[in-house]
Amino acid sequence: MVSQVKLNNDYLNSISPLLFDLQNHFLQIRALAEAKEPDPQSIDEIRLLSRHALLILDYAMFAIDAAQTELPLTTISAAAMAKDVAEDLKRLAGAYDVDIDLDVTKQLEPVLTNEAAAKGALYGLASSLIVIPRSSDKKIRIVIAAQETKPNTQRLGVYSPDLKVTPSAVKLSRLLAGKNARSVAPAEVHHSGLGLMVSDQLSQALGSQLLKFTHRGNKGIGFYVPMSAQLSIL
Amino acid sequence: MLVLIIEPDRILAKEYKKAFEGIGIEVVLCSDAQSAIGLVDHQKPDAVIVELQLAGHSGIDFLYEFRSYEDLSRVPLFIYSSVPEYAFDPDKKTWESLGVERYLYKPKVPIDRLVGIVKSKIEK
């Protein structure tokens, strides 16, 4: 009797944005490595892109696991997470001519959440906005923000006065994940689908979801991180 | 000699420019179809390299628009894409009708080969 290995089609479709994005990082790394006269700056860029590709891949694998397990919660500062993500992405942003600013409400209470999932969701979101193709060569600015917007709830998000940040990119990413092909996808999905997919999955694993918001007049995408009732009393 | 490259990824675009300029071919970069169409109104390139996955209008939209201009109908066009050709036009009829010189799949064609292919076409 011949046994057949049947791959789960949904699973394969769900990882297609991951493959698109990783392909692009490999192409970038190859292009830099194969340059006729690689300069120290190219070597530095190879390191930077490899590090980012590995980190986003790590978050993607974590997102797949997080969908199937209950995540352990710890007490953590949303402001510190926002700061860490901004710091992690500073050099990648520089390579794409993007300035990252941090905007954190002072004296935010700690939140009870899964640190890796919350950080991964924010990292995926912010990195996807950094690498998203733009129609202008102008330097742009993105703002990573942590704030308390309603009682017992804080919000982590990424905003920009220069990018038209809309949920359409998220919708496109979901659409692509549900599609069975390497069809002609808009460049936004092709280059930043993985970050959006990671952010989408991890925010859901936290019992939240990606939503569009406006922050200081700038449009953006973010997610709520609920505080525990006990912590808010303290 | 002038080559127009339409590539949405900034890091790749920078490397393509470096490679062509290294052999004395001038390059003008555009990250989307709209700005590329605006550019060819003023500057006629000797060859065009286009990625199909662009923000806004796709590379295919660009190809149709570009070929609709009489004076640009003979400019060699190359597709250099991260999507393989079989994904959407297995019989190659669209590319033929648009006068696409070669469909080059990025993962299989390194930059120096792209440069060689385009250079030899321009020199002909």
Side-chain angles (χ1 to χ4, degrees):
Chain A
M1 202 170 128
V2 180
S3 65
Q4 234 180 1
V5 177
K6 218 175 179 181
L7 287 170
N8 182 334
N9 211 32
D10 286 346
Y11 175 74
L12 287 177
N13 288 338
S14 72
I15 62 166
S16 65
L18 184 154
L19 301 179
F20 277 123
D21 249 14
L22 288 183
Q23 182 197 51
N24 202 56
H25 289 309
F26 278 121
L27 287 170
Q28 290 172 328
I29 291 164
R30 186 184 72 180
L32 287 160
E34 287 180 350
K36 284 268 176 326
E37 290 153 24
D39 47 33
Q41 198 194 334
S42 299
I43 307 287
D44 214 36
E45 273 189 274
I46 291 171
R47 277 197 203 107
L48 175 71
L49 293 167
S50 319
R51 184 182 175 275
H52 166 66
L54 286 170
L55 197 53
I56 199 78
L57 182 60
D58 184 43
Y59 279 131
M61 293 194 292
F62 176 60
I64 293 166
D65 276 350
Q68 294 151 12
T69 49
E70 202 170 315
L71 296 171
L73 306 176
T74 53
T75 307
I76 176 100
S77 153
M81 287 193 286
K83 198 176 165 196
D84 285 351
V85 169
E87 202 56 48
D88 266 353
L89 285 168
K90 210 165 232 171
R91 290 192 54 231
L92 183 75
Y96 281 85
D97 255 349
V98 176
D99 279 335
I100 292 193
D101 285 339
L102 189 66
D103 185 359
V104 174
T105 309
K106 276 184 188 161
Q107 292 171 332
L108 281 178
E109 298 291 333
V111 288
L112 189 66
T113 190
N114 182 277
E115 185 181 352
K119 261 192 189 172
L122 193 60
Y123 184 94
L125 192 54
S127 64
S128 70
L129 294 186
I130 289 169
V131 304
I132 207 161
R134 318 195 291 263
S135 51
S136 157
D137 286 337
K138 232 176 57 184
K139 195 166 196 162
I140 64 154
R141 183 174 152 244
I142 66 167
V143 181
I144 296 181
Q147 58 200 130
E148 188 169 344
T149 52
K150 48 186 180 181
N152 295 337
T153 307
Q154 293 178 17
R155 194 171 83 200
L156 283 166
V158 186
Y159 309 84
S160 175
D162 306 302
L163 286 174
K164 283 181 191 160
V165 184
T166 66
S168 65
V170 181
K171 279 186 197 153
L172 283 168
S173 153
R174 286 179 184 151
L175 185 74
L176 184 73
K179 253 175 148 183
N180 174 21
R182 310 179 96 205
S183 51
V184 186
E188 288 91 336
V189 173
H190 196 85
H191 290 84
S192 55
L194 175 58
L196 287 167
M197 187 190 90
V198 164
S199 187
D200 195 27
Q201 296 291 317
L202 288 177
S203 57
Q204 281 181 45
L206 291 170
S208 190
Q209 61 176 317
L210 292 184
L211 295 165
K212 71 168 179 173
F213 296 107
T214 303
H215 174 64
R216 297 192 201 278
N218 298 326
K219 290 197 167 144
I221 305 175
F223 57 94
Y224 287 113
V225 189
M227 290 163 66
S228 77
Q230 289 92 331
L231 283 171
S232 68
I233 291 165
L234 291 172
Chain B
M1 282 192 280
L2 177 73
V3 174
L4 164 63
I5 302 178
I6 310 164
E7 168 57 57
D9 186 275
R10 302 163 85 82
I11 291 171
L12 289 178
K14 197 177 71 185
E15 291 307 309
Y16 300 165
K17 189 172 161 68
K18 234 197 264 178
F20 276 99
E21 289 181 347
I23 55 158
I25 296 177
E26 207 186 322
V27 167
V28 56
L29 295 173
C30 284
S31 55
D32 66 329
Q34 196 72 39
S35 58
I37 287 296
L39 190 128
V40 294
D41 272 345
H42 312 290
Q43 242 178 325
K44 189 180 169 186
D46 297 296
V48 177
I49 300 166
V50 59
E51 162 61 90
L52 295 177
Q53 319 236 38
L54 301 171
H57 296 287
S58 74
I60 296 174
D61 294 338
F62 168 81
L63 294 176
Y64 277 102
E65 182 72 23
F66 185 81
R67 282 303 192 218
S68 71
Y69 297 96
E70 186 58 36
D71 56 325
L72 300 172
S73 60
R74 288 180 178 276
V75 175
L77 277 172
F78 296 86
I79 294 173
Y80 190 43
S81 181
S82 43
V83 180
E85 192 174 4
Y86 66 74
F88 43 86
D89 191 15
D91 58 9
K92 302 181 183 182
K93 278 185 182 157
T94 310
W95 312 137
E96 275 173 25
S97 71
L98 286 165
V100 172
E101 200 69 38
R102 292 276 293 272
Y103 190 112
L104 304 163
Y105 179 42
K106 278 180 190 170
K108 290 199 174 161
V109 180
I111 300 176
D112 56 350
R113 221 176 115 210
L114 167 79
V115 171
I117 291 168
V118 174
K119 183 175 178 263
S120 71
K121 180 65 194 174
I122 298 175
E123 284 173 348
K124 267 185 197 169

